[in-house]
Amino acid sequence: MAAASSSSASPKTTMERRGIPGAQFVEDVETYLSQTGLDVNSALAFLQERLQQYKLVEMKLLAQQRDLQAKIPDIEKCLDVVATLQAKKGTGEALIADFEVSEGIYSRARIEDNDSVCLWLGANVMLEYSCEEATSLLKKNLENAKASLEVLIADLQFLRDQVTITQVTIARVYNWDVHQRRIHQTSASTAAKDS
Amino acid sequence: MQQGPGGSETEVTWEDQQNINKFGRLNNRFHELEDEIKTAKETNDNLEDASNELILTDEEVVRFQIGEVFAHVPKEEVETRIEEMKEVTSKNLEKLEEEKESVLAQMTELKTILYGKFKDSINLEED
């Protein structure tokens, strides 16, 4: 995966992907804190906020993914219908179909030999196409939808990686802080014992 | 999967982080696959039921759903179509099961590596 290979080359640089900021990988907690000049609580707050932002973007992308995943079978169904109509064209007999007039109410239609179909393009627009044109348009839409879905899935994977990195960083900063406090406590109590 | 707090002694290297990321990604894919396999199995069952019904019926013309309408299709053609659909669905199901096995294997491997380094400091189980 392209994103993974670039990240293995330079773990310190923060990659960005289509507007999603990359999470900076922390080699050493102490260096990270001194570099950013933040104390532990501010660092934790910053990381938590980043995490929330990531979650928001994740919800948006998931919604888009659901939409696309619903759209693709619809386009495939349309292609099926157009293919059936084209097949019937050769035989000269009409296609008889039962269709839904309203919820629960069906009526019978007799579809005569036809060279054209009408495609709903959205925004209250419907255009008439020849069967071949309709098939190629639908195929193109299907390919675009599938390609968009792939890009979206890659975005989601990148995003989830950033979330994981941020979660691990939060845990490490917190633990480093606990560790530091423990050290200070032990040295303070040793100093108290000595004096 | 949770990342438990890292021990104060164990440092997390970039390679560890990448392994953790990969595990997370595989885990997600595993759940997606489980859902897809469930749907594929349901479709398979439906097609089975449909072809059984077809054998029992004595009508010559069957209303077969194409798109949003039910077209009147002769029984033999419906049989052929359903057989084709069953082929496609079972191949798809097989492919999904294979992918699931591979994902599980990779996850087990990563678990060994990560538990090896972090022992109790990391939790890779389902809650």
Side-chain angles (χ1 to χ4, degrees), chain A residues 11 23-26 160-170 172, chain B residues 1 3 11-25 114 117-118:
Chain A
Q24 187 188 5
F25 176 68
V26 168
R160 289 210 182 101
D161 281 353
Q162 306 318 303
V163 166
T164 313
I165 295 178
T166 313
Q167 284 173 328
V168 170
T169 312
I170 290 177
R172 288 168 65 201
Chain B
M1 177 204 85
Q3 287 88 41
E11 270 314 308
V12 179
T13 65
W14 177 237
E15 199 187 321
D16 295 328
Q17 182 66 72
Q18 283 187 299
N19 279 341
I20 298 175
N21 286 349
K22 185 161 170 214
F23 185 85
R25 241 184 283 153
L114 288 170
K117 172 141 189 211
F118 293 110

Side-chain angles (χ1 to χ4, degrees), chain A residues 86-158:
Chain A
Q86 268 191 306
K88 273 291 187 187
K89 234 183 352 177
T91 66
E93 22 170 277
L95 180 71
I96 305 184
D98 294 341
F99 65 98
E100 196 174 22
V101 182
S102 171
E103 185 138 356
I105 304 175
Y106 290 78
S107 174
R108 194 152 293 173
R110 185 190 180 82
I111 306 173
E112 299 283 346
D113 225 358
N114 227 320
D115 289 320
S116 62
V117 287
C118 298
L119 289 179
W120 176 264
L121 302 175
N124 283 341
V125 173
M126 180 181 262
L127 276 185
E128 190 173 348
Y129 290 92
S130 74
C131 282
E132 289 85 21
E133 284 175 340
T135 315
S136 62
L137 180 69
L138 285 170
K139 281 207 173 120
K140 193 170 71 106
N141 284 350
L142 187 64
E143 273 169 34
N144 289 344
K146 286 190 174 162
S148 302
L149 188 63
E150 266 182 43
V151 171
L152 202 69
I153 290 180
D155 282 348
L156 267 170
Q157 285 186 331
F158 173 78

Side-chain angles (χ1 to χ4, degrees), chain A residues 71-90:
Chain A
K71 210 165 112 177
I72 289 177
D74 274 348
I75 304 180
E76 287 173 345
K77 272 200 248 184
C78 291
L79 271 171
D80 222 357
V81 174
V82 178
T84 313
L85 283 176
Q86 268 191 306
K88 273 291 187 187
K89 234 183 352 177

